[in-house]
Amino acid sequence: MAAKLKKGDKVVVLTGKDKGKQGEITAVNPSANKAVVEGINVAIRHTRQSQTSQGGRIAKSMPIDLSNLALLDANGKATRVGFRMEGDKKVRFAKTTGDAI
């Protein structure tokens, strides 16, 4: 199945502690059905100091389930994603506006 959400997409969180927050997808793991969104689902990780990095408490964005995310359309509202054929190409489009993404 084609991915409805991809790296670089602007999304809004639909449920959970970060409900309503917006961000950009930095990584997607389709096999686990999860994505990492910048500034969303942040957890504190304690890391040991090494030669290359300073140790301490570091904030890290953790993966969030794809079902809890919705794509932002051109108007800045949450929308579902559909697919349609334009010529011989499969194109993603926003269900609310009908615009290609």
Side-chain angles (χ1 to χ4, degrees):
M1 185 174 126
K4 294 191 179 212
L5 297 174
K6 296 182 178 182
K7 181 178 176 180
D9 285 346
K10 301 277 187 200
V11 293
V12 63
V13 180
L14 300 175
T15 60
K17 66 177 184 178
D18 293 322
K19 180 178 180 177
K21 290 186 181 178
Q22 299 177 3
E24 185 174 327
I25 295 179
T26 57
V28 178
N29 186 353
S31 61
N33 206 32
K34 294 189 180 277
V36 177
V37 182
E38 189 175 324
I40 305 294
N41 199 22
V42 176
I44 301 295
R45 290 287 172 244
H46 297 22
T47 57
R48 184 181 292 258
Q49 184 176 356
S50 66
Q51 285 184 332
T52 58
S53 65
Q54 181 70 26
R57 298 174 46 157
I58 297 174
K60 180 180 180 187
S61 293
M62 302 303 288
I64 187 169
D65 203 83
L66 289 175
S67 64
N68 296 337
L69 301 174
L71 190 70
L72 287 175
D73 62 1
N75 302 330
K77 295 191 176 186
T79 183
R80 289 179 294 162
V81 179
F83 293 96
R84 65 176 170 220
M85 297 298 290
E86 289 186 359
D88 57 346
K89 273 191 150 179
K90 192 176 190 181
V91 178
R92 293 188 311 159
F93 73 97
K95 292 265 189 165
T96 55
T97 60
D99 297 335
I101 300 170

